Amino acid sequence: MREILSIQQQLLPDLVDTLKKRYTILHYILVSGMVGRRTLALSLNMTERVLRGEVDFLKEQGLIDVEASGMRISAAGRELLEKIEPLVKDLFGLTDLEERIRSHYGLRQVVIVPGDSDVSPHTKKELGRAGASVLRKLVREDEVIAVTGGSTLAEVAYHLTAANPMKGCWFVPARGGLGESVELQANTIASTMAKKAGARYRLLHVPDHLGEEAYQSLMQDDHISEIVQFIRKARMVMHGIGDAMVMARRRKVDSETTESLQRDGALAEAFGYYFDREGRILHKMPTIGLRMEDIQRMDTVIGIAGGKSKGEAIVSVLKHGHEDVLITDEAAAQYIVQRLTS
């Protein structure tokens, strides 16, 4: 495959460029669901005249459906994209990046999508689509799946479908709710994923950030204790990865703890744990839900995060050594690989 690609790039560079362009258009339409021609042209930095020709071609091939409200991917277009994804990853140089990161950190799988989530909402949507695809492939019947909150996990929830129902599965929040937008809280994401995937869910209605006294009091409540024990049965977890200082501000961590985290070199946050450059745990927030010992016992731990700004945080969590699968974008992956050689 790679040899053929190399020959094509030498003898027929225009053909390869056309393939990339048409894949990018099709892919954007797929992730968007429905998109107008003008919006698509602006998003891809393409003139409407050039795009019109490409849209006409894709329509003639039966790869997209064009309606008054915009364009959407057809079943044939969706099938084609799935078939050529490995080829396109080679074209964009992502296959090598995936393997370098996978082998260095001993991961089971690495999935990289093109782009930079920091600057492209489309890339974050594609992260969500990739996350949903990985989840569908790895989940087993009657499994308990824990999920954290955040905008990337919300995108994963959006892209799940009931096409292949997750029979007998339960989605649960990995921890108490974060004090931010309801749609980004772990409870909301767990319930949305369950509804989209034809599964069931249980929720944990407690604050994310608790004092020690409140934590002990809540854990004595029979109902909460029973739900927490159910959550700790999870054998799979999908979680986001945050910048330590950004997450400390979002979680309204007190100034003394924030200063301590900064002084100790905290770079990443996941599950309420803060990690330094070498993946060491510096601090744990008193939260109800999964503990590190629960995560270490799991069959599959899936980390998902993108954007060049998250590169350092992702490296920190990978060095902690309990990830099985990483889903990220090209910008973060390039940063990670640069750190391998620096």
Side-chain angles (χ1 to χ4, degrees):
M1 175 74 77
R2 289 190 181 186
E3 190 176 349
I4 293 170
L5 275 176
S6 178
I7 292 169
Q8 284 181 330
Q9 285 172 324
Q10 287 178 299
L11 297 178
L12 299 164
D14 292 348
L15 181 64
V16 174
D17 289 342
T18 301
L19 173 60
K20 281 184 177 180
K21 179 168 61 178
R22 288 176 179 166
Y23 170 83
T24 301
I25 293 169
L26 268 180
H27 192 267
Y28 195 100
I29 295 171
L30 169 69
V31 175
S32 300
M34 174 73 78
V35 64
R37 187 175 291 170
R38 180 170 294 179
T39 300
L40 184 57
L42 286 170
S43 300
L44 299 180
N45 197 25
M46 195 179 292
T47 67
E48 286 194 58
R49 182 182 63 81
V50 169
L51 181 63
R52 189 179 302 115
E54 297 298 340
V55 165
D56 289 344
F57 173 83
L58 296 172
K59 183 183 176 185
E60 286 169 12
Q61 298 299 313
L63 301 175
I64 61 171
D65 298 319
V66 180
E67 305 167 15
S69 52
M71 298 168 283
R72 69 168 74 245
I73 198 85
S74 67
R78 191 181 296 272
E79 185 180 346
L80 177 67
L81 283 175
E82 288 178 4
K83 285 180 179 177
I84 68 170
E85 190 168 357
L87 169 67
V88 171
K89 285 203 167 192
D90 269 340
L91 280 175
F92 283 99
L94 302 183
T95 307
D96 286 338
L97 284 176
E98 288 175 343
E99 179 54 27
R100 289 183 70 182
I101 295 169
R102 190 204 64 76
S103 60
H104 183 84
Y105 289 104
L107 302 174
R108 195 185 310 166
Q109 183 183 11
V110 174
V111 177
I112 300 171
V113 304
D116 183 347
S117 299
D118 286 343
V119 297
S120 169
H122 172 74
T123 301
K124 181 165 279 193
K125 288 179 185 293
E126 174 56 8
L127 264 184
R129 192 183 74 88
S133 176
V134 167
L135 201 57
R136 280 196 301 269
K137 288 173 183 173
L138 295 181
V139 76
R140 297 172 299 191
E141 283 192 14
D142 304 317
E143 188 148 32
V144 178
I145 307 141
V147 295
T148 63
S151 58
T152 306
L153 270 293
E155 287 291 350
V156 176
Y158 175 80
H159 284 93
L160 278 176
T161 68
N164 299 299
M166 297 182 183
K167 296 177 182 176
C169 289
W170 291 84
F171 281 89
V172 296
R175 49 189 287 169
L178 183 64
E180 61 177 354
S181 309
V182 173
E183 64 270 18
L184 301 184
Q185 291 180 15
N187 272 338
T188 306
I189 289 168
S191 63
T192 302
M193 285 183 170
K195 291 169 187 173
K196 288 285 200 80
R200 292 172 288 179
Y201 62 91
R202 296 194 68 179
L203 305 181
L204 181 59
H205 295 292
V206 296
D208 176 67
H209 188 189
L210 296 168
E212 186 61 33
E213 190 177 333
Y215 174 83
Q216 295 298 338
S217 175
L218 283 169
M219 284 303 289
Q220 288 171 17
D221 180 279
D222 290 342
H223 177 66
I224 290 174
S225 179
E226 188 270 328
I227 291 176
V228 170
Q229 291 310 309
F230 186 83
I231 289 170
R232 289 175 179 168
K233 290 179 182 177
R235 306 305 301 167
M236 175 184 288
V237 62
M238 178 175 275
H239 69 94
I241 298 170
D243 174 275
M245 292 303 107
V246 171
M247 296 308 294
R249 286 194 295 272
R250 277 172 57 184
R251 293 207 160 100
K252 297 180 174 59
V253 175
D254 63 86
S255 58
E256 185 179 342
T257 304
T258 301
E259 287 169 12
S260 173
L261 288 170
Q262 214 158 15
R263 189 170 55 250
D264 293 341
L267 293 178
E269 186 276 343
F271 309 109
Y273 290 83
Y274 289 82
F275 304 87
D276 69 6
R277 187 178 297 276
E278 299 305 317
R280 293 183 291 253
I281 295 172
L282 297 175
H283 180 71
K284 177 193 180 299
M285 301 299 295
T287 59
I288 291 178
L290 291 180
R291 304 158 300 184
M292 188 55 71
E293 52 264 41
D294 302 316
I295 294 157
Q296 290 168 354
R297 286 196 299 264
M298 287 196 179
D299 296 331
T300 308
V301 179
I302 306 168
I304 179 167
K308 185 178 180 180
S309 66
K310 291 278 187 76
E312 200 166 40
I314 295 170
V315 170
S316 175
V317 172
L318 289 177
K319 283 188 174 183
H320 185 65
H322 292 291
E323 302 298 306
D324 297 299
V325 178
L326 173 67
I327 304 163
T328 190
D329 62 24
E330 186 178 5
Q334 286 174 342
Y335 178 91
I336 295 166
V337 168
Q338 285 169 5
R339 283 289 303 275
L340 300 183
T341 56
S342 61

